Amino acid sequence: MNLIRPRTCPRKPTSMAYPVVWQSIRLVNPPRIEESRSAEHLVANAAVVQGLEDLFSLRYKNRMSSTSTLSPVESLRFHRAVYRVWYWLKTVRYYVDEGVEFFREEVQRYLSGYTIDEVFELQKARAFLGETMQWGCHIHTAPGHCHYFDLEGLLSLPPDILDGYRQRRGTAYNAASAFFGDVAWTRAYANTLKTRHVDKADTTTRFDTAILDEVTGKQDACHRCQTVRGLNLWGRSTWPLLEGCLNLRGVCNQLPGNLPQNVAETQMLIQHIQNADPLQTMRNYVNMLEELFDFEADPQGVWSKDEWYCLDCVCHLFKQRLWKWWLAKKRYGYNCWTQMHRHAHASRLNVSMCVTDTSDMLKCHTQHLCVPIRGDELAGPS
């Protein structure tokens, strides 16, 4: 049975700091023991890999289905690649002190035991696991703060990665170990392709088509701007994932004028969506999207909950309607008590109000933020 173990095994590290660990690794070398452990491994973790397959299918195969639509052959490739990455991570977790070059050599030795198609499958699985971890990080921090997937985080293995995704937990990223793991693997992967004589032009194509034979909606376009985005379009089935690309701080940045820098106001908006239960936060986020689509009449049919939009157009929806939606959520409106005794609060005229008067003239002025929306009388920045 050669589903997990490569045709060549990692060599013993030069350091003797982990002799007991290495002895346990060596136990998998006899074929019968390896087959037995592999079988137990498959049975015990089948639910984890199936959960990862559902997410992989949603992101890379068919964005319209939250359950896997991979064919039996595609599913086999995915499971095989994940188990192989999993096995490797469990094996090398004690190599960190050996240095980047040692780790790079070990990765290259490991990859040399597989065919070139299997190498691309491994790289695809590894990239998917890293992106899933980064997605959880982006929910809580700015995307620019998650450049690398963390080796230490990945060494917590796929069950923790899947659990972190389901529970909307960010992984504690360590920049040093992240850089170490990413650089070492990237170098080994590049050297492997070079020794196999895979040209650069072919590399991107083979990586994109690794594991999958067909992709649904690959040439689909955004409903609003008609730009072809394929799997990078957002709709009802993928709204629960949007928080990892546009987190609550990013949502606040779509408010007009200087409101994104208004700490008090943005904090209130975030607290309105955020919940101690991260799953409830996700539901509140999705409900906000539902309400934004329904908030105003749209005779041109630009915004529809049943259509698909690129991230730029989703941001445009937030810019158009979020401030009005939030204004309507304000608790007190015209009956705000604070405006009666605090002049600074009452004079905060930071919302543009455009009203059509009896002579059909559009007159614009500013009003206090607590004033609620009244029908279609309000027009704001587009």
Side-chain angles (χ1 to χ4, degrees), residues 28 30 39 47 58 62 84 134 160 170 248 260 316 320 334 346 348 382:
V28 302
L58 180 64
N62 185 351
R84 284 171 170 172
Q134 288 192 5
D160 295 309
L248 292 179
H316 188 80
Q320 269 192 342
Y334 287 112
R348 189 185 301 166
S382 60

Side-chain angles (χ1 to χ4, degrees), residues 129-369:
L129 293 174
E131 288 169 5
T132 303
M133 289 183 60
Q134 288 192 5
W135 179 90
C137 176
H138 293 167
I139 288 180
H140 305 282
T141 63
H145 294 181
C146 300
H147 292 299
Y148 304 100
F149 76 84
D150 183 13
L151 176 66
E152 296 291 346
L154 272 181
L155 292 180
S156 63
L157 304 180
D160 295 309
I161 295 173
L162 180 63
D163 184 62
Y165 159 71
R166 287 176 170 171
Q167 297 300 322
R168 264 58 181 169
R169 283 191 289 101
T171 303
Y173 280 71
N174 180 291
S177 61
F179 180 81
F180 168 85
D182 195 60
V183 168
W185 186 288
T186 301
R187 290 178 183 174
Y189 174 66
N191 288 342
T192 298
L193 298 184
K194 184 177 180 180
T195 57
R196 305 286 185 94
H197 306 291
V198 180
D199 60 62
K200 293 183 179 180
D202 198 31
T203 298
T204 302
T205 302
R206 296 188 72 165
F207 174 81
D208 290 342
T209 57
I211 298 178
L212 301 174
D213 295 320
E214 295 181 2
V215 175
T216 302
K218 192 174 182 179
Q219 298 299 320
D220 287 356
C222 171
H223 178 68
R224 177 177 176 269
C225 68
Q226 297 303 309
T227 303
V228 175
R229 296 292 187 185
L231 292 172
N232 292 318
L233 292 174
W234 298 93
R236 273 181 163 167
S237 60
T238 56
W239 284 350
L241 299 178
L242 185 59
E243 191 182 0
C245 297
L246 187 68
N247 61 19
L248 292 179
R249 180 61 255 181
V251 167
C252 291
N253 289 340
Q254 310 308 311
L255 291 168
N258 292 323
L259 278 177
Q261 284 71 52
N262 185 328
V263 177
E265 197 63 37
T266 55
Q267 192 61 32
M268 281 192 290
L269 175 55
I270 289 174
Q271 289 175 353
H272 181 76
I273 305 297
Q274 209 165 49
N275 189 280
D277 178 6
L279 295 181
Q280 184 58 50
T281 299
M282 180 269 290
R283 288 188 284 268
N284 292 343
Y285 190 102
V286 171
N287 288 339
M288 173 180 63
L289 277 168
E290 293 263 0
E291 293 176 11
L292 286 177
F293 274 98
D294 292 336
F295 191 77
E296 292 179 328
D298 183 25
Q300 285 78 31
V302 174
W303 303 114
S304 171
K305 292 185 291 188
D306 297 321
E307 296 295 344
W308 294 84
Y309 300 89
C310 65
L311 185 59
D312 289 341
C313 287
V314 171
C315 289
H316 188 80
L317 172 67
F318 275 107
K319 288 180 183 296
Q320 269 192 342
R321 299 185 177 183
L322 177 65
W323 70 282
K324 302 177 188 179
W325 173 86
W326 177 232
L327 195 60
K329 294 290 183 181
K330 298 294 289 186
R331 184 176 179 183
Y332 298 110
Y334 287 112
N335 293 320
C336 170
W337 280 81
T338 309
Q339 65 183 328
M340 297 172 63
H341 58 82
R342 289 186 60 183
H343 179 268
H345 181 78
S347 60
R348 189 185 301 166
L349 307 176
N350 53 4
V351 176
S352 296
M353 311 286 286
C354 298
V355 183
T356 303
D357 62 14
T358 54
S359 60
D360 290 330
M361 295 294 291
L362 189 66
K363 295 183 177 181
C364 297
H365 57 284
T366 56
Q367 288 193 1
H368 179 56
L369 191 62

